[in-house]
């Protein structure tokens, strides 16, 4: 099939708009860098549960990510399901430049997993498998530990806007 660049760009725009109609949560994926001191992290909205036995979740990461290579080398990854007041956290972790953690409240666990305060869920995970899929990689993570906070409403991303769930 022959496609020209303008058709591919138009299709990308249409797909991005179409995919945005599905509301998703926002998850921070964070860890200490290989130096054991410097926090690294990113926000993703492609997160899903995979299996109860064994306990597995998945995220999707763009092949162009400059953050994922550092995270993928971590012994333990912290996943934080962001709460409704965390729009600034998601924006900070999505920034291309600057100190992503400068204004964030977080803690590191043994092994390097970082969790963000005020989240609805904390998962500590290790990399199980990576599957190449088009312009992204599907990353399967095995859950080693979790902490759930019942009283925190999740942050929702829908139609390219941050939203919260109302009762």
């Amino acid at each position: 099939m022959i496609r020209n660049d303008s058709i591919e760009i138009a299709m990308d725009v249409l797909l991005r708009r179409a995919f945005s109609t599905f509301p998703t949560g926002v998850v921070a994926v964070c860890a200490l860098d290989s130096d054991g001191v410097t926090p690294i992290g990113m926000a993703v909205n492609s997160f899903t549960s995979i299996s109860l036995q064994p306990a597995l979740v998945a995220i999707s990461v763009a092949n162009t990510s400059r953050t994922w290579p550092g995270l993928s080398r971590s012994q333990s990854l912290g996943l934080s399901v962001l709460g409704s007041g965390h729009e600034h956290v998601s924006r900070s972790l999505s920034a291309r430049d600057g100190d992503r953690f400068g204004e964030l409240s977080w803690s590191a666990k043994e092994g390097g997993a970082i969790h963000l305060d005020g989240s609805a869920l904390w998962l500590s995970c290790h990399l199980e498998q990576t599957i190449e899929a088009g312009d992204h990689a599907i990353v399967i993570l095995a859950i080693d530990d979790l902490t759930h906070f019942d009283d925190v409403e999740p942050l929702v991303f829908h139609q390219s806007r941050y939203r919260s769930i109302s009762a």
Side-chain angles (χ1 to χ4, degrees), residues 58-155:
I59 60 172
S60 180
V61 180
N63 293 337
T64 56
S65 172
R66 296 181 302 172
T67 306
W68 176 246
L71 285 169
S72 69
R73 292 187 295 270
S74 298
Q75 175 185 346
S76 182
L77 296 170
L79 277 63
S80 300
V81 174
L82 299 184
S84 61
H86 276 155
E87 180 177 339
H88 71 287
V89 173
S90 178
R91 290 188 187 283
S92 182
L93 291 173
S94 299
R96 292 212 179 264
D97 299 309
D99 180 3
R100 293 181 178 180
F101 287 83
E103 301 292 320
L104 306 185
S105 179
W106 57 274
S107 58
K109 296 188 84 163
E110 189 171 329
I114 289 178
H115 295 119
L116 300 171
D117 294 343
S119 297
L121 172 67
W122 291 343
L123 298 174
S124 293
C125 303
H126 67 270
L127 182 62
E128 183 74 18
Q129 181 181 4
T130 302
I131 303 164
E132 297 304 317
D135 59 2
H136 279 65
I138 300 167
V139 179
I140 309 293
L141 301 167
I143 301 170
D144 300 313
D145 189 30
L146 68 89
T147 304
H148 181 253
F149 303 94
D150 286 328
D151 58 340
V152 178
E153 292 291 327
L155 181 64

Side-chain angles (χ1 to χ4, degrees), residues 43-67:
V44 300
N45 69 341
S46 55
F47 167 83
T48 190
S49 58
I50 298 293
S51 172
L52 296 176
Q53 293 293 328
L56 301 173
V57 295
I59 60 172
S60 180
V61 180
N63 293 337
T64 56
S65 172
R66 296 181 302 172
T67 306

